[in-house]
Each structure stands twice: as C-alpha cells, then as structure tokens.
Amino acid sequence: MVINMTADATATELQHVIDRVIECGFQPHVTGGSERAIVTAVGSGGSPVALETLKVTPGVAGVVRIAYPFKLASKLARSGRTQVNVGGVIIGGEEAVVIAGPCSVESREQIISTAWAVKAAGATLLRGGAYKPRTSPYDFQGLGIEALRLLREVREEVGLPVVTEVMSINDIQLICEHADMLQVGARNMQNYDLLRQLGKIDKPVLLKRGPSASVKEWLLAAEYLLAGGNNNVVLCERGIKTFESEITRNTLDLAAVALVRELSHLPVIADPSHGTGKRELIAPASRAALAIGADGLIIEVHPCPERALSDGAQSLNPDEFARLMKGLSAPIRPVATAWTAATASGG
Ligand code: PEP
Ligand code: MN
C-alpha cells in the first residue's frame, strides 16, 4: 500500500501517518524528502483495510494498493525514476551509460590497456571480474584480491569508476574498499543471504537477472536490497534460458527491459555480451536495447579476445568496441510510410 502525502503536508502529519502504518502492522518506508513524501507500507500480517482509512487523514492525498508483491521496487513507491550515482556517473538519467571492460581481470597490462581504450571510445565505467562464477570448477576462477588491487590502481590512474562481481558475503567488505559498484551475477540473483547483506551497504548494486528468473522474481530480488535500505539498485537484463541453446548462449529478453520500466522506478541496463554470447550480435543488440529504453549497456572488451581466460567468444577487441560506440549515436532506421512512399514515387 502506498500513501501519497500532499505537497503541503506538515512534518507532524507525516509522522502521524508513519505511526499509523506501524500500528496497522506494517513497516513504513518514506521517500520524497523535501518534496511530496510517499509512505510505502510493506510487510505481511497487517490490516490493509485499516490502512485504506488513512485516505481521510490530514496531509494525505491518496492511498493506492500495489497489485504486485514487489512494493518498494514498484513505480508507485516513488514520484519519479531513480537515478543511481556510481562514483559520479549517473545511471538512469538523460543519457545512457556504457560500462565496458574484460570479463575477468587477468593482468595489470590487460586491465589498464583495456581501461584506456574503452575510455577513449566513450565508456564511463570500467568492468572487470575478480571473483568469477564459472560453470566448471576447472575453468579460470579469477585473480581474487590481486584483481581488486589492480582495479583500484587502474581506477585511480585512468579515472573510470569500477564495477566488479561479489559472489560471497565474506568478500563484501573487501570489494567495497576497492570498487564503486558491486555486481550480483545472474547465478546469485536468488542468493537471499547475499542480497540481505548487500541491502545494508551504501555502495550501488548491479542486479543481473537470473538465467531462469521471471521478471517478478527479478524485481522481488531487487526488493530484498531496497527493503534492507539500499536504494542504489540498477537492474541488468543479461539473457535467459530458452529452447535456443545451440547458436546463441542465451536469449536477450529486450521486452523485459521495457516491461521493468513500466513496473519499476529502478534504472535498467542490458548486457548484450552474455545476452547473446556472440561477438557479431553485440552491436545490433546494443542499438536495440537503447531503442527499447535501456538506461545503459555493459559490454565485454578484451585486448585480444582470442587469448581471454573467460568469455573470449563474446568479447570485442578495442577497435570493434570503438566502432560499436560510434554506431550507438547513429539514428534509428527510418520507416517507410504510405506518405513517404507516395512522395518518392512522385504521387
Ligand atoms: C559476467 O559479468 O562476467 C558474468 C559472469 O555475468 P552473468 O552473471 O550475467 O553470467
Ligand atoms: Mn563474462
């Protein structure tokens, strides 16, 4: 249930509503600050009917029931779209942002040359895995703390804020000391212990959609972070499992990007690298993602994809990435209409 306060509600009126929400058996989450406040009542076991009577309370503009189980992630719980500040870069603002870098940090030379190259091409955030969730235990698992140190060094030297994956609760503190944004990988989207702990930190979280997760499950995973008090959440569509498994790695569900923009106030970006698994599909999928409303992209770039220790087949080299970036500002294909056809034929 969402209680919308009037623009001129007093602090006393707001406090009264907060107290009543608690009395009715719910937890209040207040947003809006100095503007019109919104009180979202969450929890189970309370009396929604009692809450509805708040519509006659002084300072209340209206009470709205949220149909979905994700209450704080719902669009109704905020007066506008959320913007997330990652080391000075805004995700969810006017401009789309591009996060780029290797799947895994492999060496100083590899990460620094990639960072300079993606920055020159226009990326504003650097990615690089230190702890890698690999399907096989025999595959490269990441350089761990050594990679975190390299990321921090490169961040200082090149000036790009850093995004890296967290797989375990035990690493949260250390990663927070080295990175600007923590990625929850697709395989961990439903690791509720991890989500609960990340709800308590003040660093932004990039929440990837699980390979088999519905949009509702994805937004409920975001709800864990928001309920814990971390409002700096960015969603990431990275492809889901479908019957197509031979030619592409995953199926990039771009309609889900438009859907979560309808359902939620949270920014959403797309990952065409994991979403397709194929180098040649990354540029067209990137353009499509921005056209459908993505707030940004996360793209894997490696100085020599052929030698990459993980995800080489879906990594672009720096030249390919620079070409992709140029193509993102090109206008979307014009549409032939009856009117333009008639003009062209002189009719
Ligand atoms: C990655 O970003 O390298 C990664 C492992 O992503 P995902 O969790 O989407 O597979
Ligand atoms: Mn990868």
Side-chain angles (χ1 to χ4, degrees):
M1 205 78 84
V2 159
I3 300 121
N4 291 309
M5 303 299 291
T6 58
D8 58 359
T10 65
T12 316
E13 287 166 343
L14 176 61
Q15 189 56 51
H16 175 71
V17 167
I18 293 169
D19 295 342
R20 286 288 294 131
V21 167
I22 296 168
E23 258 175 51
C24 294
F26 295 93
Q27 294 106 50
H29 285 255
V30 185
T31 54
S34 54
E35 313 149 33
R36 263 162 66 103
I38 297 177
V39 183
T40 308
V42 299
S44 53
S47 163
V49 178
L51 271 189
E52 260 164 1
T53 63
L54 282 173
K55 59 178 178 251
V56 298
T57 303
V60 172
V63 178
V64 184
R65 189 185 282 262
I66 304 180
Y68 295 105
F70 41 87
K71 308 294 181 193
L72 299 172
S74 162
K75 210 177 186 174
L76 297 174
R78 297 285 188 281
S79 50
R81 297 197 72 230
T82 289
Q83 298 194 347
V84 175
N85 184 333
V86 183
V89 175
I90 303 295
I91 306 184
E94 276 294 298
E95 296 178 328
V97 300
V98 178
I99 307 170
C103 178
S104 305
V105 177
E106 298 169 5
S107 67
R108 188 173 200 287
E109 178 48 34
Q110 176 242 20
I111 187 69
I112 198 145
S113 62
T114 312
W116 283 120
V118 299
K119 185 179 182 182
T124 51
L125 293 161
L126 177 68
R127 64 152 289 150
Y131 301 93
K132 295 304 302 177
R134 303 308 302 278
T135 305
S136 164
Y138 307 119
D139 288 342
F140 177 63
Q141 304 285 310
L143 296 179
I145 183 160
E146 191 189 331
L148 291 180
R149 290 200 187 107
L150 290 171
L151 283 171
R152 190 153 90 172
E153 249 177 72
V154 169
R155 170 173 166 257
E156 299 313 319
E157 216 168 307
V158 181
L160 290 180
V162 159
V163 184
T164 197
E165 179 161 353
V166 58
M167 294 209 309
S168 159
I169 291 174
N170 302 333
D171 302 326
I172 294 177
Q173 173 80 35
L174 188 67
I175 298 178
C176 283
E177 287 163 20
H178 291 77
D180 300 279
M181 181 181 226
L182 280 68
Q183 171 177 317
V184 174
R187 294 160 183 81
N188 268 315
M189 188 208 85
Q190 285 177 313
N191 180 340
Y192 298 118
D193 272 350
L194 183 63
L195 296 176
R196 254 190 294 271
Q197 291 305 316
L198 292 172
K200 295 182 194 161
I201 64 169
D202 59 3
K203 288 267 162 136
V205 173
L206 181 63
L207 179 64
K208 289 199 159 192
R209 179 182 181 184
S212 308
S214 66
V215 166
K216 186 170 99 176
E217 288 165 334
W218 186 20
L219 290 173
L220 279 170
E223 188 81 8
Y224 268 85
L225 299 165
L226 299 170
N230 191 340
N231 291 315
N232 296 310
V233 178
V234 177
L235 301 165
C236 177
E237 162 59 42
R238 50 77 70 201
I240 52 171
K241 293 271 176 229
T242 63
F243 46 79
E244 177 55 74
S245 55
E246 278 177 50
I247 303 182
T248 54
R249 186 175 174 190
N250 291 294
T251 298
L252 188 63
D253 183 8
L254 286 182
V257 171
L259 179 60
V260 295
R261 281 188 64 118
E262 281 299 310
L263 296 174
S264 178
H265 55 86
L266 294 172
V268 55
I269 68 168
D271 175 346
S273 306
H274 295 87
T276 67
K278 274 181 113 65
R279 203 178 298 181
E280 7 358 339
L281 297 182
I282 295 169
S286 297
R287 292 196 296 272
L290 295 189
I292 209 164
D295 293 297
L297 301 164
I298 179 163
I299 296 174
E300 289 187 334
V301 181
H302 192 285
C304 179
E306 177 194 314
R307 292 180 188 275
L309 297 183
S310 59
D311 286 349
Q314 66 191 37
S315 298
L316 301 180
N317 68 35
D319 288 345
E320 291 166 332
F321 178 68
R323 265 201 301 282
L324 174 148
M325 290 296 284
K326 284 209 184 86
L328 292 183
S329 50
I332 299 173
R333 189 176 175 190
V335 176
T337 62
W339 185 82
T340 53
T343 311
S345 64

